[in-house]
Amino acid sequence: APRGTVPKMGFLMCIYSPEGSMDEFGRPFAFDLYRLDPQGGKSMDRICGHLLVGIDMPNVDTVIDQITYNVSSNFDPTLTRDGNILYSSTQANGTHNNSNGSTCILVNNWTGAYPRHIYGNEVSEQPNAPKIQAKESSDGYVYYIEALDNNSGIGNLARVSWTTPHAKTQSRLSNDGRLYRSPHPLPDGRLMVSSAERRDFGIHWFCADKGTVSELVYDDPEWNDHQPQPVYPRYKPRWINAFVAGDHFGVTTVTYQPFDQVNVEGYPHSWSTTICFDTTLTNLPIGPYPHQRTKVMEHGDIKAIRVLNAVTTNEPDASRFVQGAGSHLLGGAKSSSNSGTSFSQRRMFGYQYVEDDGSVVSSHPGDEPYCTQILDDRGMAVQTQLAWAYVRPYGGRICTGCHWGSYDKKGYLNIHTKALYNWWYSDL
């Protein structure tokens, strides 16, 4: 469609689980984030110069495509004030958190190309409490529910700093024994929430100073009242740009590579690139558990990485899996990555040597969940990434380093890693 002839409509962000999906716990669903173009792909055409390609629904003039790739579920999407997508993500890689995994808070942009962990996947971030229904507030916090379990969607009200998400900035707000769900901050600083002493949920204002509800807004005694959505004027979210790798590629992602180099290299459009500025791991305790390192590693001791790809489960016959197999092993029922209780099979994308300054860059298929292991000089894994990552086709993911130290200080000093240099100037 010619520029200027398509109405300026945005995308609808939603979650969807294809039929036959199974997550890492054997549950019959695995949700991911999708974006829906309500103009049959023309909204994307207005923005980027090509139609959105995905699941076509011509009877309602709609196209929908997947933008996140988790092995378990991503859910509860909401829009932040700057135009990002905030959502909950179940991360259950291997024996993470004694095989229970965690449900943490992530944020992403509208293309799915820039996922960032906010809070809830680290050992110090209460991984046993699922963090759901998160909303950003004007006071600089993200308000969310610390769920009592993985099914009910109710629990305690909590918050963590949006700008500095850390265990030191996290706090549980409710201390009254009530049940909470569906927090919704308002621009004036007030917080509306659904709450009940036992069963009858109503809509209330919440007083953070007192740790309990204050005024009742509405309560239908015959129904549970959830998901308050106050109507008020709001600023238009800041537009987050995403580049397009040429009309003939047909994808919309953020890419950090110059387009002329991409053409010369001749990579298929489904590939992507990951770079880590420093793979050294020094500040974790030594031990047998997944969140610990296997031995002392000094700077430069990491010699290579192994990239593992998760094959998502699609198995209609649940009897093929033996419940409880491997539960006697250290770490619990999912101790074996390919056991009957892992519910996710793995394969290797391959290996990549690490530069002598600790940096590494690798290319692998896009839109595929993967994790990375750092290896010593014998090819033995020192640590395995505890969250599934992915990169959009022709996109890039940048890791500042595996706990050795922030790359920011090196960046200020204009010190660049060999992997970064090779990314731009060598044939990968």
Side-chain angles (χ1 to χ4, degrees):
R3 294 295 178 90
T5 62
V6 179
K8 291 186 176 181
M9 295 182 64
F11 296 95
L12 175 65
M13 296 295 174
C14 58
I15 62 173
Y16 172 63
S17 176
E19 184 179 2
S21 298
M22 182 184 292
D23 72 358
E24 293 164 283
F25 300 96
R27 296 175 295 201
F29 53 82
F31 289 94
D32 260 304
L33 265 61
Y34 287 72
R35 59 183 172 185
L36 186 147
D37 188 330
Q39 300 185 90
K42 296 177 182 178
S43 294
M44 180 69 79
D45 186 32
R46 175 181 60 83
I47 298 168
C48 303
H50 65 77
L51 292 174
L52 180 68
V53 178
I55 304 173
D56 193 10
M57 294 174 280
N59 58 321
V60 289
D61 194 25
T62 297
V63 177
I64 187 172
D65 76 328
Q66 185 174 349
I67 64 170
T68 65
Y69 293 83
N70 194 5
V71 186
S72 288
S73 289
N74 296 329
F75 58 99
D76 282 349
T78 185
L79 184 68
T80 64
R81 292 182 297 162
D82 62 0
N84 278 285
I85 311 299
L86 189 70
Y87 58 96
S88 294
S89 179
T90 300
Q91 296 292 337
N93 192 359
T95 57
H96 179 204
N97 190 26
N98 294 316
S99 295
N100 295 317
S102 68
T103 299
C104 54
I105 302 172
L106 270 66
V107 69
N108 210 328
N109 70 6
W110 66 280
T111 67
Y114 192 25
R116 289 93 76 197
H117 171 261
I118 299 299
Y119 191 77
N121 200 41
E122 299 289 340
V123 176
S124 62
E125 298 175 349
Q126 306 87 41
N128 289 321
K131 295 156 185 65
I132 60 175
Q133 305 167 14
K135 297 286 193 306
E136 180 202 6
S137 175
S138 60
D139 63 2
Y141 284 93
V142 171
Y143 289 82
Y144 62 91
I145 299 299
E146 285 187 342
L148 301 179
D149 52 52
N150 291 311
N151 300 309
S152 63
I154 59 176
N156 294 293
L157 184 64
R159 70 180 181 184
V160 68
S161 172
W162 172 240
T163 54
T164 54
H166 189 272
K168 294 180 179 179
T169 66
Q170 188 271 351
S171 60
R172 179 181 293 181
L173 300 179
S174 59
N175 56 15
D176 53 0
R178 297 175 65 94
L179 300 174
Y180 288 87
R181 68 176 301 171
S182 309
H184 193 102
L186 271 69
D188 60 7
R190 292 183 297 170
L191 179 65
M192 191 175 288
V193 67
S194 174
S195 179
E197 289 188 12
R198 285 296 178 265
R199 294 183 179 180
D200 182 22
F201 279 82
I203 307 300
H204 299 258
W205 295 110
F206 186 83
C207 179
D209 295 335
K210 297 180 179 179
T212 188
V213 296
S214 54
E215 300 177 46
L216 175 67
V217 177
Y218 179 78
D219 184 13
D220 187 330
E222 302 296 326
W223 297 89
N224 286 319
D225 305 297
H226 297 309
Q227 299 176 344
Q229 188 70 34
V231 179
Y232 52 86
R234 66 180 67 193
Y235 292 108
K236 182 179 179 180
R238 178 176 62 87
W239 179 251
I240 299 177
N241 190 26
F243 300 104
V244 181
D247 294 338
H248 57 290
F249 291 110
V251 295
T252 304
T253 66
V254 174
T255 175
Y256 302 95
Q257 293 174 300
F259 297 152
D260 55 349
Q261 182 203 354
V262 168
N263 287 325
V264 170
E265 290 177 351
Y267 282 158
H269 77 277
S270 60
W271 278 57
S272 54
T273 304
T274 299
I275 184 172
C276 180
F277 293 141
D278 201 314
T279 56
T280 308
L281 187 70
T282 59
N283 67 340
L284 295 180
I286 296 174
Y289 292 100
H291 64 277
Q292 301 169 329
R293 53 181 174 153
T294 59
K295 61 180 180 179
V296 175
M297 299 297 292
E298 301 298 335
H299 189 60
D301 288 344
I302 301 299
K303 302 301 182 183
I305 63 169
R306 180 190 295 123
V307 184
L308 304 177
N309 171 224
V311 182
T312 54
T313 305
N314 190 324
E315 177 53 67
D317 185 5
S319 65
R320 286 169 51 89
F321 296 98
V322 181
Q323 294 285 347
S327 59
H328 63 288
L329 300 175
L330 182 65
K334 294 199 305 175
S335 292
S336 171
S337 64
N338 286 321
S339 73
T341 50
S342 175
F343 297 105
S344 65
Q345 305 301 297
R346 306 179 190 198
R347 59 189 173 191
M348 281 193 298
F349 276 155
Y351 294 84
Q352 181 66 44
Y353 287 109
V354 171
E355 303 286 349
D356 56 16
D357 64 351
S359 62
V360 64
V361 60
S362 64
S363 293
H364 48 79
D367 286 353
E368 288 280 348
Y370 73 93
C371 70
T372 301
Q373 295 178 320
I374 53 176
L375 312 178
D376 61 14
D377 55 354
R378 299 173 55 196
M380 303 298 288
V382 178
Q383 172 66 293
T384 299
Q385 186 177 348
L386 296 184
W388 292 111
Y390 70 93
V391 185
R392 298 310 312 274
Y394 242 11
R397 167 168 286 217
I398 293 179
C399 172
T400 58
C402 298
H403 302 278
W404 181 70
S406 173
Y407 183 76
D408 294 342
K409 298 177 181 178
K410 300 178 184 178
Y412 287 129
L413 296 175
N414 201 28
I415 300 174
H416 299 292
T417 64
K418 291 185 177 180
L420 183 62
Y421 179 87
N422 291 338
W423 189 358
W424 287 91
Y425 295 108
S426 70
D427 183 4
L428 300 176

